Structures are given as structure tokens and as C-alpha cells.
Amino acid sequence: RHTIYRRWEGKDELILAAIACTDSADLGPDGLPDTGTLRSDFLALLDPNWMGGSERRLRILSSVSAMITRTPRAVDAVTKAIVEPSTAAYRFLIQRAVDRGEYAPPHNLDALARVIPSMAAYRAFFMQQVVDEEFMLSIIDGVVLAALREPTAANH
């Protein structure tokens, strides 16, 4: 314990350091799935290790959520380490599907790319419920892909 607290002032600083070290390289364009369809790409991107009802996982997310309210820097750290890489990955997958002609360009690609990571974070951090496959499929099929199937203003 003494060794840890020599480097970090407290638990919040240690958690921030761990979040900052999150490796998002697998969310770069070269690490993303390319199955031929956007839905399959989304499904391939789901991490089965994070899905399901782990009580420990919920405690960790609850701790991070509490830390965000106490530590202003936490929001930036979580955003840079988790939210931005996930949003960029979804943006890339959606744009690739548009480029191959699977869907028309969405009205607001950036907003649509934020839907999945935002809803997953909301469910985990604020509702303190598990982010399971059923939930993810409801967001993928019922929100993101449904929005992409809607005609854009340019098509009217």
C-alpha cells in the first residue's frame, strides 16, 4: 500500500492512471472487424468478457461512477480512454458501411456513432444494470440500424 500511495495520492488518482493506460489500439481501424455487413461488424466488436451480470464488474463501474462525481479530471480521463475510442470505432464502421453502399449517409454520423457507447455507459454507470447481449442488440437493431434505414432529408 505504501508503494502505491507514494506514486498516487489516493484511490481516485490510481484509478485515473489505470483508465489513462487503457489500450485502445484494438479499436483502431486495423483492429476492427470487417465481416461485410455493419450489423455483423457491430456484433463482432462486442466484447463477451464485458457482457453479462458480473457483480464485480458492476461494483467497479459503480466506483468509477462515484469517482466521476468527486474528481473533475475523471470525466476527461474516462472520455479519452473509453468514450472517444469507442465512438471513433463506431463512426469508422458506419462510414465504411456507407462507403460500400450498405446504407445512405446518415444525417449526423457523429451523433449516431455516440449512441452505442453512450447508452452502454448510461446503463452501466447510472442505472447500474448489466450491459448484456440483449441490451446491445436492442440498441444496435432498434436504434442505430433503424436510424440508418430511415430516409435522409436528401432522399425526399
Side-chain angles (χ1 to χ4, degrees):
R1 228 180 194 177
H2 294 294
T3 303
I4 291 172
Y5 289 120
R6 269 188 251 149
R7 183 163 182 180
W8 297 282
E9 291 179 24
K11 185 168 67 170
D12 288 353
E13 286 74 20
L14 174 62
I15 293 170
L16 285 174
I19 290 170
C21 291
T22 302
D23 183 12
S24 59
D26 56 337
L27 290 179
D30 294 336
L32 293 175
D34 189 0
T35 64
T37 69
L38 181 57
R39 185 176 193 274
S40 295
D41 288 348
F42 282 165
L43 296 178
L45 191 60
L46 298 180
D47 183 354
N49 295 322
W50 264 98
M51 306 273 280
S54 167
E55 193 68 31
R56 180 174 176 259
R57 190 173 313 119
L58 284 175
R59 283 195 314 269
I60 291 168
L61 293 174
S62 179
S63 295
V64 172
S65 179
M67 182 191 62
I68 286 172
T69 63
R70 292 188 311 266
T71 310
R73 294 185 340 232
V75 174
D76 288 337
V78 169
T79 298
K80 287 177 184 167
I82 298 170
V83 178
E84 287 176 1
S86 295
T87 300
Y90 286 112
R91 183 182 305 111
F92 178 85
L93 293 175
I94 294 167
Q95 185 61 56
R96 186 173 63 196
V98 167
D99 292 346
R100 70 178 167 236
E102 190 176 350
Y103 295 98
H107 174 69
N108 188 334
L109 176 60
D110 289 333
L112 196 56
R114 283 192 293 271
V115 168
I116 295 172
S118 297
M119 292 303 299
Y122 176 79
R123 183 173 175 95
F125 289 130
F126 300 106
M127 295 179 69
Q128 295 189 357
Q129 295 180 2
V130 295
V131 178
D132 57 10
E133 186 174 1
E134 179 182 352
F135 172 77
M136 292 300 288
L137 287 174
S138 73
I139 300 302
I140 290 168
D141 293 331
V143 179
V144 177
L145 296 181
L148 285 167
R149 285 191 290 272
E150 288 296 315
T152 62
N155 293 339
H156 291 317

